[in-house]
Amino acid sequence: MDARIRGTGAEPRGLSWSRTVPRELVHRASVAEVLLTDVLRVDATRFLAAACWSRSHPTFPVDGHAVHHPLMVVETLRQLGIFIPLRYLGVPVDTRMLITDVFFTTDPGAQPRASHGATQVTCRVRVTGLRAGSDGATAGLRLHAEFQAGGAVFATAGGGARFLSPERYAALRGPLAGTCQPPASAGLLRPDPARLGVSHARDVVIGRAAGPGGNGGRRRDRWDPREVLVDAADPWHPFFFDHATDHVPGMVLLEAARQAAALASDGALSRPTGVRLTALRFTEFAPPARIVCVPHHRTCVFRFEQDDACPAFGVLHYPSPLRA
């Protein structure tokens, strides 16, 4: 056990929020997008981690809301799911991580309210389901994390991931493999950012086609839920597209589902307290995937449709029922 930890159940001593971990170990191109600042190993399957959530992060609302975007939980989990295998499980740094599923639940009453500077988050992490490939290297795992701030647990999250060597990833992706820059926006019509609970037009990741195939002669402010497509307004967004990618990132899928649910519910369902996403295959940039959302009381079931297939699906949970 690390000498800086007082037993398995005590609060960590020595966790640092002073500087970020190396960006290469969380697969981020910008240091500003690195949330982890420290990770300590407790035993073979348990870890303690520190993360720093800044008010200057692109997802933080500028309308006076004092609580961080729920996607910060997922992004922290994603970075843990990369750092721990690379640092402690012998996974090579050029390995590609594929998320198979992800979930989180937050407690609205316990969520830390941002003050000056940044929010210091402590994570208690457990690794399960370790799988090895034919070569003995780590091929997959499951991660479960508990998030604390100010001594209170405010969220839990988890999910599964596969790890592929560059060669296996290239074979899987074929001609699409490589670090392709996201394509320019397809020129879709966009909802008003305020209807989606985002601060700026660049944060919008959904749209609809213009012309007869996209809302026809209906009013421009009325949206048919069957016409909502995934397409980022800003393909250079500092959070959603921190680095080049050859497929739609999972974080974009989650945010697109959240925005589609807000749109389908006329804003009643805009800030989820929980989500579960299952990815069955890659979601490609083209043609833009369609999002099908069905709000029902405190949930919104969603699925993505592309080329007559469903690459991903899930459900969003909310703190109060949808009012008629």
Side-chain angles (χ1 to χ4, degrees), residues 80 151 227 247 256 263:
L80 286 166
E227 298 172 346
H247 60 275
L263 194 64

Side-chain angles (χ1 to χ4, degrees), residues 195 261-272 295 297 318-324:
R195 298 181 65 182
L263 194 64
S265 64
D266 290 327
L269 304 179
S270 62
R271 190 177 183 88
H297 298 294
Y318 298 86
S320 60
L322 175 63
R323 297 179 181 178

Side-chain angles (χ1 to χ4, degrees), residues 67 105-113 154 271-273 318-319:
V67 179
T105 302
T106 61
D107 179 352
Q111 290 185 70
R113 302 183 71 82
F154 67 91
R271 190 177 183 88
T273 56
Y318 298 86

Side-chain angles (χ1 to χ4, degrees), residues 21 63 105 129 169:
V21 301
D63 59 359
T105 302
Y169 183 82

Side-chain angles (χ1 to χ4, degrees), residues 82-140:
I82 297 173
F83 183 91
I84 289 173
L86 295 185
R87 173 65 177 82
Y88 294 106
L89 303 180
V91 174
V93 72
D94 60 352
T95 298
R96 301 297 295 262
M97 183 188 77
L98 306 182
I99 294 174
T100 58
D101 66 286
V102 65
F103 67 88
F104 76 81
T105 302
T106 61
D107 179 352
Q111 290 185 70
R113 302 183 71 82
S115 58
H116 295 93
T119 301
Q120 294 185 353
V121 177
T122 301
C123 309
R124 296 183 178 274
V125 188
R126 180 166 42 91
V127 175
T128 63
L130 274 170
R131 303 186 306 278
S134 58
D135 59 355
T138 300

